[in-house]
Amino acid sequence: MTTSVAALTAAVLAGEHGPAPTDINVISAFWLHNTTRLPGADVTYRNYYVLLRVGEVFGACAFEEGEVDPAYCADASGLPLSDLLADGPLPVRIAALDAYLAAVEPHHLSAQAEEVILPAGTPDVRARARDAAVAGLLEVTPGSKVALIGVVNPLVDAITALGGTCLPCDFNLRETASGLPVSRDMTQVVDAADAVVATGMTLSNGSFDVLLDRCLQQSKPLAVYAQTGSAVARAFLGAGVTALSAEPFPFSQFSARPTSLYRYRKNGPETP
C-alpha cells in the first residue's frame, strides 16, 4: 500500500509503476499565472501553475506566489522526468510525478473513472458545474461535521445543504462567503470532523501526507478534489483516499468549451 508521496516517488524512480522515468522526457514546460473574479464577486483569485507535458498528458501543480521562478521553464523541456522527480522545488516534483502517473494511465482510459462532461459556457457556469460534480462525491449525513481543507464556497454550501456542519480551513481566507470563520490549523479541523474533503494543493504545500495519515489513523473518509496532482491523488485511492474528483489540464477555467473531469471512488465507479 502506498503510504506517502515520498514513497510513491521512490517507487516510480525504481520503475515499480511502469516504464523507467529516465526514458520519459518532458516535451513542454509551462509556468502560468492567472487571476479570476467571477461576476458579482468581491474577491480576485490569484493562481500559479506548473505544467509539464509528456506525450498526450499534462502533469500539473498549483503553488503559492514565489515558490517557482518562471525561469525553470528554460531548461525543463527535454529533460527526463527522473531529473525533475529527484531534484527541484516541491511543485515541480509533484507536477513531474503527476505527469508520469497520468502518462502510464491517462484518466480518460482508466476503468475506475466516471467521466463528467463540464458544459460549455461562461466561467461561473462552468465553475458551478465543476463544484456540483465534486459535491456529488460527498457522503454527508445530517448532523455530521465535515472538514473542508481548501475553501471552495459552493462546497461549503453543498455540505450545509446536505445537513452537515462545515469546518473550513484555508491559508488565504479568514471567512467563507457565508460568514463561517476559517481556521488555519488543518489538524484541528480534521480531528473535530467526521469526514474530510481536501484540495489537491495539499500535495503542493507538503501537507498531504499528514492529512492522509491522520485520516487513516482515525478511520475518516477523505475525498480529494484535484487539479493539482490529480493522478498522484489517484495513487492513494483505497489507501486513505476514499473518493477523488480529478480534473486534468486543460482546467475548466482555461476553456469555454466542454471539458472533462473524472470521478473515482475506492470501490470503483458508481453504477446507475
Side-chain angles (χ1 to χ4, degrees), residues 29-52:
F30 304 80
W31 185 101
L32 299 179
H33 175 212
N34 83 292
T35 62
T36 301
R37 181 178 293 202
L38 295 174
D42 58 3
V43 176
T44 298
Y45 295 96
R46 304 177 186 277
N47 301 303
Y48 299 84
Y49 302 92
V50 166
L51 298 168
L52 299 173

Side-chain angles (χ1 to χ4, degrees), residues 1-19 21 81-82 85-86 93-102 104-105 203 208-209 212 228-237 239 241 244:
M1 184 174 76
T2 306
T3 57
S4 69
V5 174
L8 177 61
T9 302
V12 165
L13 285 168
E16 296 175 12
H17 285 262
L81 281 177
S82 54
L85 285 167
R93 299 199 309 271
I94 293 297
L97 186 59
D98 190 43
Y100 176 87
L101 294 169
V104 169
E105 184 183 9
L203 288 162
F208 180 81
D209 287 349
L212 186 76
T228 288
S230 59
V232 179
R234 182 182 62 187
F236 293 89
L237 200 67
V241 173
L244 168 67

Side-chain angles (χ1 to χ4, degrees), residues 47-50 60-64 67 91 201 204-205 227-229:
N47 301 303
Y48 299 84
Y49 302 92
V50 166
C61 186
F63 59 91
E64 298 291 345
E67 288 185 321
M201 280 194 71
S204 62
N205 65 24
Q227 292 181 339
T228 288

Side-chain angles (χ1 to χ4, degrees), residues 58-150:
F58 293 82
C61 186
F63 59 91
E64 298 291 345
E65 183 177 4
E67 288 185 321
V68 180
D69 191 286
Y72 105 94
C73 291
D75 301 315
S77 294
L79 289 178
L81 281 177
S82 54
D83 285 12
L84 299 178
L85 285 167
D87 183 31
L90 178 59
V92 174
R93 299 199 309 271
I94 293 297
L97 186 59
D98 190 43
Y100 176 87
L101 294 169
V104 169
E105 184 183 9
H107 290 294
H108 66 275
L109 297 180
S110 174
Q112 291 181 286
E114 172 201 359
E115 185 177 15
V116 177
I117 305 295
L118 302 180
T122 60
D124 52 327
V125 166
R126 287 171 55 74
R128 283 196 298 270
R130 179 197 62 211
D131 294 337
V134 176
L137 290 172
L138 303 183
E139 298 179 9
V140 181
T141 56
S144 64
K145 297 177 180 178
V146 182
L148 179 60
I149 314 301

